[in-house]
C-alpha cells in the first residue's frame, strides 16, 4: 500500500533553533517527493521538489534531503523564525500519468519567542 | 494577481442543502484539482481535470459533481449535504501532473460547515 508517514506529529522549538522533520514513504514506483508549508487558514505552498537522483535541495533556510534507497526524506529548518510556525506536509508522487499524490498527515511546528 | 482563487472562503449551511464552490486560476495551467482536508489535516484528492476532461475521480459520493466550463475554472457542486462533508476544500492547479514534476499551486481553501 502506498503510504507516507511523517514524524513527529507536532514539535515546539524556540526561535533561532534548528529542527528536522522526517518523512518515510512506501510509494512506488517513485517519481518525486515534495515538501509543502501550510500556514493556518491557507493553502499549502511548495518548498522543495526532489527526484530520485537528488539527495539535497535547499530553499533559503529550508533544506530537504532524500534517500531513495531507504525511502526516507527530511526537512531541516535552520535558525527558525516565528513565521515558520505552520504545518509541513510531505507528498510523494508515483510515475503515472494521473495526478494522484500521496500526502502525509503533516508535522505541526510551533516556534516560540 | 491571485494565482488560484476560490469562493466563498467560508460556507455554513444546513444538512440536505445543495451548494457550490467556485475555483479559478489565472496561471494558464491545463490541470486543476479538488482536495478535501478533514479535521485531522489530512489532504485527500477528490477530482482532477486536464483541459476540461476528468482524469481522476476518487471514491467520493456521487453527491459531489465537479464541473469545468473551461480550463481556467473548476467548480465543485455538492448535493444533499451531510455532516461528514464539513471540511476545508482546496482547489489547485498545475501545468503538468505532479508525477511529471509539475508545480502545484493551491487556492486559499473553502471552509464548509454543515449544521
Amino acid at each position: 500500500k502506498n503510504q507516507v508517514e511523517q514524524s513527529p506529529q507536532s514539535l515546539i522549538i524556540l526561535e533561532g533553533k534548528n529542527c528536522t522533520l522526517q518523512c518515510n514513504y512506501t510509494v512506488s514506483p517513485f517519481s518525486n517527493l515534495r515538501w509543502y508549508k501550510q500556514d493556518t487558514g491557507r493553502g499549502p505552498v511548495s518548498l522543495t521538489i526532489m527526484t530520485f537522483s537528488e539527495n539535497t535541495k535547499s530553499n533559503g533556510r529550508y533544506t530537504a534531503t532524500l534517500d531513495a534507497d531507504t525511502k526516507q526524506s527530511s526537512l531541516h529548518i535552520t535558525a527558525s523564525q516565528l513565521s515558520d510556525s505552520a504545518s509541513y506536509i510531505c507528498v510523494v508522487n508515483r510515475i503515472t500519468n494521473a495526478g494522484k499524490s500521496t500526502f502525509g498527515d503533516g508535522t505541526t511546528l510551533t516556534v516560540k519567542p | 494577481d491571485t494565482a488560484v482563487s476560490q469562493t466563498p472562503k467560508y460556507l455554513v449551511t444546513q444538512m440536505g442543502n445543495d451548494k457550490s464552490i467556485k475555483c479559478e486560476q489565472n496561471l494558464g495551467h491545463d490541470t486543476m484539482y479538488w482536495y478535501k482536508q478533514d479535521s485531522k489535516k489530512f489532504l485527500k484528492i477528490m477530482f482532477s481535470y486536464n483541459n476540461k476532461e476528468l482524469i481522476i475521480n476518487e471514491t467520493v459520493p456521487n453527491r459531489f459533481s465537479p464541473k469545468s466550463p473551461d480550463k481556467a475554472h473548476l467548480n465543485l457542486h455538492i448535493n444533499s449535504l451531510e455532516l461528514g462533508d464539513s471540511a476545508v476544500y482546496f482547489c489547485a492547479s498545475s501545468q503538468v501532473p505532479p508525477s511529471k514534476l509539475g508545480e502545484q499551486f493551491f487556492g486559499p481553501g473553502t471552509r464548509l460547515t454543515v449544521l
Side-chain angles (χ1 to χ4, degrees):
Chain A
K1 185 178 178 183
N2 293 307
Q3 286 187 315
V4 176
E5 294 184 356
Q6 293 186 240
S7 62
Q9 190 173 18
S10 61
L11 182 61
I12 301 173
I13 62 173
L14 292 176
E15 188 179 10
K17 297 296 186 183
N18 303 335
C19 68
T20 300
L21 314 180
Q22 299 290 344
C23 173
N24 297 337
Y25 63 92
T26 59
V27 177
S28 181
F30 177 85
S31 170
N32 63 83
L33 182 146
R34 301 156 187 247
W35 283 94
Y36 285 87
K37 179 187 179 190
Q38 185 176 17
D39 293 313
T40 301
R42 299 192 155 217
V45 175
S46 178
L47 294 175
T48 61
I49 302 174
M50 300 178 71
T51 61
F52 184 87
S53 59
E54 295 174 295
N55 298 120
T56 304
K57 185 163 277 190
S58 292
N59 178 358
R61 294 179 296 102
Y62 301 101
T63 300
T65 66
L66 174 64
D67 186 333
D69 291 331
T70 61
K71 298 188 177 181
Q72 296 178 325
S73 176
S74 66
L75 180 69
H76 186 75
I77 304 175
T78 305
S80 61
Q81 300 176 358
L82 298 179
S83 60
D84 292 332
S85 295
S87 287
Y88 292 84
I89 304 171
C90 176
V91 183
V92 183
N93 292 289
R94 286 183 286 161
I95 302 173
T96 65
N97 290 326
K100 279 192 202 178
S101 302
T102 304
F103 286 75
D105 54 4
T107 292
T108 301
L109 174 65
T110 303
V111 180
K112 294 196 168 182
Chain B
D1 60 349
T2 305
V4 181
S5 59
Q6 296 177 228
T7 53
K9 188 164 174 61
Y10 300 97
L11 184 54
V12 181
T13 188
Q14 300 284 338
M15 259 175 45
N17 285 348
D18 303 339
K19 290 293 178 185
S20 291
I21 307 172
K22 295 185 176 181
C23 177
E24 176 181 3
Q25 54 96 2
N26 62 6
L27 298 166
H29 289 165
D30 287 338
T31 308
M32 296 185 72
Y33 314 79
W34 275 110
Y35 290 89
K36 178 181 180 181
Q37 188 172 45
D38 59 25
S39 58
K40 293 182 180 178
K41 306 288 187 181
F42 209 40
L43 269 161
K44 290 183 180 177
I45 185 136
M46 300 174 69
F47 302 102
S48 176
Y49 270 72
N50 180 269
N51 262 325
K52 302 196 297 176
E53 286 190 31
L54 182 66
I55 58 172
I56 294 177
N57 185 353
E58 284 298 277
T59 309
V60 298
N62 56 16
R63 298 182 294 104
F64 291 78
S65 54
K67 282 186 173 52
S68 182
D70 54 64
K71 73 174 193 177
H73 296 84
L74 181 61
N75 303 323
L76 184 65
H77 189 76
I78 315 171
N79 290 330
S80 304
L81 277 155
E82 300 178 357
L83 294 176
D85 297 332
S86 295
V88 181
Y89 292 84
F90 287 99
C91 177
S93 75
S94 65
Q95 181 56 27
V96 295
S99 58
K100 297 185 178 178
L101 305 182
E103 180 88 46
Q104 256 187 330
F105 293 84
F106 285 80
T110 295
R111 181 173 292 277
L112 171 65
T113 303
V114 182
L115 303 175

